Amino acid sequence: MLFSDLKIHPLILKALEAQGYKNPTPIQQQAIPSILEGRDVMGAAQTGTGKTAAFAIPTLQLLAREGRLENRGRTIKSLILTPTRELAIQIEENIVQYGKNLWLRHAVIFGGVTQGSQVAKLKSGIDILVATPGRLLDLMQQWYIDLRHIEIFTLDEADRMLNMWFINDVRKVLAKLPVKRQTLMFSATMPNEILHLADSILNNPVKVEVTPVTSTAEKVSQAVFFLKKSDKKLLLQEILKNEKMTSVLVFSRTKHGADRIVKDLDAVGITAAAIHWNKSQNNRQRALENFKSGKIRVLVATDIAARGIDIDELMFVVNYDLPNEPETYIHRIGRTGRAGKDWVALSFCDREEYEFLLDIEKLTGQKIRRMEKHPFHVSISAPISNAEKKKINAEKEAKKKAFRKENPRSFGRGRR
Ligand code: AMP
């Protein structure tokens, strides 16, 4: 199938051609015609399936329809709500690309930076607004944003909104939208809360689903290394000796862990950068740009900060920590295997994480290849028992206590 078979406007087709897009992806094939017909859509699709274009292209086309602008002037007609700044920026970038031959105006707003330039853009008059919930509510309360003319509302990555406790913010936004509108909702996973939300905001939606939620990106080779936690940094260094690994995204469960990985790599002469919430927006953007341009080989990210990282040339994902929620693994892996290329996802697994590995394999229904030929291999074949877990936790607590005793000034009130 070609994009031209989907009755896409010639000016948008031209922009898609310039992007090198020839064929619509499955989610685009399914969603675009229904959205163009004005239907509500509920899309089950993970990152990497082309879901952004699936809603951005028809949104541009509907808004660009002749006569719409002259009649109503510049009011915000489409709102796209997404959980993270990175995703918001990327959605706007896509809108810029697909809409470059149209006359529509757009803006992106997110927290963590001063509001001045965002407000100026809003004041200049826009048709499409991409926003994260916090900054949107903030600017709405300051009367910079009027949602009364919204015709198309898109809720992107709804399951993440839920996980990040944004769902109340989303409800506050919903209360300000016109009842008569077209609503598009996308979510990688479909827990009950999401189905419930969908029921309450969508009107007789067309349901489109591409890869089942439990499938990891098809083209990703996956492997797991069993080792001791303390050897993880050594294995990462060992793996990075392979010069073919030019672009490696390393996942860490915590911000602190991400910083430590960068430090450990720096110590052996490998330049890396971390992105997580404690870094300023500019700092994160810079790290991402340096990574995309190949200036740095390794980017270390926490799950939330990595949401929406869209890197075409990404080759390797390393799960330095295995996530305790199996869906998170699927999200991470979704970053590789894009655009039909073969990529690799490597996971480090210590004894405590073995049960997470089993959860992942249960959810995906795939057994991940065990890599035994590496210098740090330990044999792990069963999850740790509850008694062992208790013992490990007690040891951790004791260590923490001892550290606090030795470093009283790092804790409590005196800290700031
Ligand atoms: P998304 O799932 O929206 O994060 O998109 C994943 C990646 O696929 C992005 O880099 C898009 O630019 C790219 N993409 C989206 N649609 C197409 C298409 N029809 N053909 C080729 N690449 C695409």
Side-chain angles (χ1 to χ4, degrees):
M1 183 186 270
L2 299 169
F3 271 110
S4 48
D5 298 328
L6 294 177
K7 301 198 182 98
I8 309 274
H9 193 285
L11 290 176
I12 301 178
L13 275 182
K14 208 169 137 196
L16 295 177
E17 264 164 37
Q19 282 299 304
Y21 294 8
K22 290 191 187 74
N23 312 99
T25 64
I27 186 90
Q28 292 161 4
Q29 289 178 26
Q30 293 179 50
I32 291 175
S34 301
I35 300 174
L36 287 178
E37 276 171 22
R39 296 284 304 269
D40 281 6
V41 166
M42 168 81 190
Q46 62 194 65
T47 314
T49 54
K51 73 175 163 63
T52 313
F55 64 76
I57 293 170
T59 297
L60 285 163
Q61 177 149 336
L62 288 171
L63 295 189
R65 272 204 311 236
E66 238 178 301
R68 269 170 106 125
L69 280 182
E70 288 89 312
N71 296 341
R72 265 163 277 189
R74 295 263 182 225
T75 52
I76 306 174
K77 292 175 260 321
S78 164
L79 170 66
I80 298 166
L81 203 54
T82 192
T84 72
R85 307 169 220 205
E86 280 78 10
L87 270 171
I89 292 171
Q90 257 153 32
I91 293 171
E92 212 224 6
E93 273 172 9
N94 285 8
I95 288 173
V96 170
Q97 288 160 356
Y98 312 147
K100 69 177 185 180
N101 302 321
L102 306 173
W103 53 89
L104 294 164
R105 294 170 57 91
H106 31 78
V108 57
I109 60 171
F110 44 82
V113 291
T114 51
Q115 67 178 47
S117 61
Q118 296 178 358
V119 169
K121 192 84 195 271
L122 290 168
K123 280 184 177 166
S124 73
I126 55 155
D127 306 291
I128 303 174
L129 178 62
V130 185
T132 55
R135 179 57 59 97
L136 175 65
L137 283 174
D138 192 1
L139 295 185
M140 278 163 66
Q141 272 153 15
Q142 297 178 54
W143 302 101
Y144 288 122
I145 294 173
D146 179 359
L147 298 181
R148 283 175 306 168
H149 305 284
I150 294 293
E151 297 170 17
I152 308 169
F153 169 59
T154 302
L155 183 60
D156 184 37
E157 306 257 344
D159 53 350
R160 286 280 131 178
M161 295 278 191
L162 203 74
N163 292 348
M164 291 167 70
W165 307 103
F166 280 152
I167 214 71
N168 280 338
D169 288 349
V170 173
R171 289 191 193 283
K172 279 184 205 158
V173 173
L174 281 164
K176 299 286 179 198
L177 294 176
V179 178
K180 191 170 167 294
R181 58 163 200 263
Q182 185 175 5
T183 306
L184 317 174
M185 180 167 160
F186 289 83
S187 190
T189 57
M190 292 288 163
N192 278 341
E193 290 105 313
I194 291 297
L195 295 175
H196 196 67
L197 180 71
D199 260 356
S200 65
I201 68 170
L202 297 169
N203 179 16
N204 187 22
V206 175
K207 295 191 176 120
V208 295
E209 184 171 0
V210 279
T211 38
V213 166
T214 51
S215 87
T216 38
E218 275 167 30
K219 290 235 161 193
V220 184
S221 326
Q222 303 168 63
V224 58
F225 297 75
F226 292 138
L227 75 177
K228 285 199 290 212
K229 191 180 248 122
S230 53
D231 285 337
K232 286 186 174 182
K233 70 174 182 187
L234 300 176
L235 180 61
L236 183 60
Q237 290 165 16
E238 191 66 28
I239 285 175
L240 290 174
K241 280 185 189 158
N242 183 343
E243 283 170 8
K244 279 194 197 145
M245 297 189 69
T246 48
S247 166
V248 185
L249 179 61
V250 178
F251 279 99
S252 158
R253 206 169 337 165
T254 64
K255 294 179 274 204
H256 181 65
D259 286 335
R260 209 175 34 220
I261 295 169
V262 170
K263 239 185 184 168
D264 290 339
L265 288 175
D266 269 349
V268 292
I270 300 170
T271 330
I275 55 167
H276 55 65
W277 282 149
N278 278 11
K279 306 262 175 194
S280 70
Q281 173 66 14
N282 288 342
N283 196 307
R284 284 176 4 202
Q285 273 308 109
R286 203 173 330 116
L288 200 55
E289 272 154 29
N290 285 341
F291 184 60
K292 280 187 183 182
S293 68
K295 261 194 203 154
I296 51 172
R297 240 175 109 193
V298 184
L299 189 69
V300 187
T302 56
D303 286 298
I304 291 177
R307 225 33 224 143
I309 289 183
D310 180 9
I311 305 158
D312 287 339
E313 293 310 313
L314 180 63
M315 291 172 58
F316 292 92
V317 161
V318 173
N319 293 305
Y320 197 90
D321 300 312
L322 273 185
N324 54 357
E325 286 172 356
E327 289 84 2
T328 305
Y329 178 85
I330 295 169
H331 277 300
R332 290 180 178 184
I333 300 302
R335 238 151 288 281
T336 51
R338 291 169 183 232
K341 293 173 191 155
D342 278 320
W343 302 132
V344 179
L346 307 175
S347 299
F348 295 177
C349 176
D350 65 30
R351 273 205 77 200
E352 282 180 69
E353 292 167 315
Y354 186 71
E355 58 178 304
F356 305 154
L357 177 70
L358 297 183
D359 287 344
I360 290 164
E361 293 186 327
K362 201 161 140 198
L363 183 72
T364 60
Q366 286 175 336
K367 193 162 164 79
I368 301 176
R369 189 150 59 99
R370 271 66 173 154
M371 303 293 280
E372 296 188 350
K373 286 194 181 128
H374 67 91
F376 311 102
H377 177 70
V378 292
S379 163
I380 302 176
S381 55
I384 49 173
S385 65
N386 281 341
E388 269 177 295
K389 249 187 223 169
K390 260 191 191 158
K391 200 174 142 208
I392 291 170
N393 284 340
E395 278 167 10
K396 276 186 193 159
E397 270 311 304
K399 256 192 201 164
K400 254 193 226 163
K401 243 185 185 167
F403 183 80
R404 280 182 197 180
K405 215 169 166 186
E406 279 168 29
N407 304 277
R409 295 180 65 197
S410 326
F411 292 88
R413 278 191 192 175
R415 199 171 180 199
R416 276 159 208 251

